[in-house]
Amino acid sequence: MYKSFYSLAREPFSKDMRKEDAFLSISYQEAWNGLEYLQKSKGIGIVIGDPGAGKTFTLRTFKDSLNPSLYHVVYFPLSTGGVMDFYRGLAYGLGEEPKFRKVDLFRQIQQGIQRMDQERKVTPVFILDEMHMAKDAFLQDLAILFNFHMDSSNPFILILAGLPHLKTRLNLNHHRPLAQRIIMRYQIQSLSKDDVYTYIEHHLKLAGSKMPIFTVSALEAIALRSQGWPRVINKLTINCLLYGSQLKKEQIDEEIVRMAAEESGL
């Protein structure tokens, strides 16, 4: 096992990593600044990024930072289910028994949000993921569903997350009512080459590494192969550690990276 071979106390690049363990890249910190602004202002925000950019991790750490006595988080990834399944999921998330008709579901969700805000003094936070897959009719419905008191108040936080072409879709004329109400927009970028080096060293240090495991040329090869996307960096680096331990390599060089990349299909 590579952990014992490289004297690591735990697996690096773990999916259950906490906010305090996050690598503070410029993109991550800017995304957090936007989310904190949305938290204070309330309303609708959008977080987009390419696959593997770190959207889900950013949203998860934001969710975990919220005081559960002040915020009620409903996370819902858009799946292959129908639109009505989605609305029922929102109702369940608010602790409601879903109605059957769409008009009744709309009213039920809005009333549930208002009760949570006014009676319990808790702000509902909706994180809707994979929204680039949403049908046009659903995006148009959101502008109506999250309209309170003739758009004079926002007793909620709504975060729409997805791939970059979500932004392009929202720029279309028929989505203007929703787009005009978005108060925070952020697109997560890939890591720079220098950040890739620091990112890998940061996570290896968290895992207990005392000595450099990757040569400079290996880090450069990982940066080139991954193009700076964290998910790809994680996968490629773990494969390098596996190959390196199997071959009894005290330091991982660019040849190990090449082998690991071919294994990963990169």
Side-chain angles (χ1 to χ4, degrees), residues 4 35 55 78 125 144 156 193 212 224 226 250:
S4 58
L35 290 168
K55 296 185 301 296
L78 192 67
V125 180
I144 304 170
F156 64 88
K193 184 169 76 171
L224 181 63
S226 68
E250 293 186 2

Side-chain angles (χ1 to χ4, degrees), residues 24-64:
L24 302 180
S25 68
I26 292 174
S27 185
Y28 178 78
Q29 293 182 80
E30 288 178 345
W32 252 89
N33 290 339
L35 290 168
E36 287 182 333
Y37 168 75
L38 186 62
Q39 179 184 351
K40 294 174 183 176
S41 303
K42 298 185 181 181
I44 305 175
I46 178 174
V47 177
I48 58 176
D50 284 287
K55 296 185 301 296
T56 303
F57 172 74
T58 301
L59 293 171
R60 187 176 74 244
T61 54
F62 174 68
K63 167 188 172 294
D64 292 343

Side-chain angles (χ1 to χ4, degrees), residues 41-44 117 146 148 151-157 181 183:
S41 303
K42 298 185 181 181
I44 305 175
D117 177 66
F146 287 91
F148 291 83
D151 203 22
S152 63
S153 67
N154 289 324
F156 64 88
I157 295 171
R181 298 184 59 211
I183 64 170

Side-chain angles (χ1 to χ4, degrees), residues 97 145 154 213 261:
E97 183 65 34
L145 183 62
N154 289 324
I213 297 176

Side-chain angles (χ1 to χ4, degrees), residues 123-142:
T123 301
V125 180
F126 299 91
I127 301 176
L128 309 187
D129 210 348
E130 309 295 343
M131 287 301 294
H132 55 277
M133 299 169 58
K135 295 180 180 178
D136 284 344
F138 176 64
L139 290 173
Q140 291 167 346
D141 279 352
L142 284 180

Side-chain angles (χ1 to χ4, degrees), residues 63-106:
K63 167 188 172 294
D64 292 343
S65 74
L66 299 174
N67 186 337
S69 64
L70 299 176
Y71 298 91
H72 176 79
V73 180
V74 179
Y75 173 80
F76 205 102
L78 192 67
S79 65
T80 55
V83 173
M84 289 297 288
D85 293 329
F86 190 88
Y87 292 134
R88 291 188 186 99
L90 295 184
Y92 273 125
L94 290 167
E96 305 283 342
E97 183 65 34
K99 303 289 186 181
F100 290 98
R101 297 193 307 162
K102 182 177 177 180
V103 64
D104 294 328
L105 264 175
F106 260 54

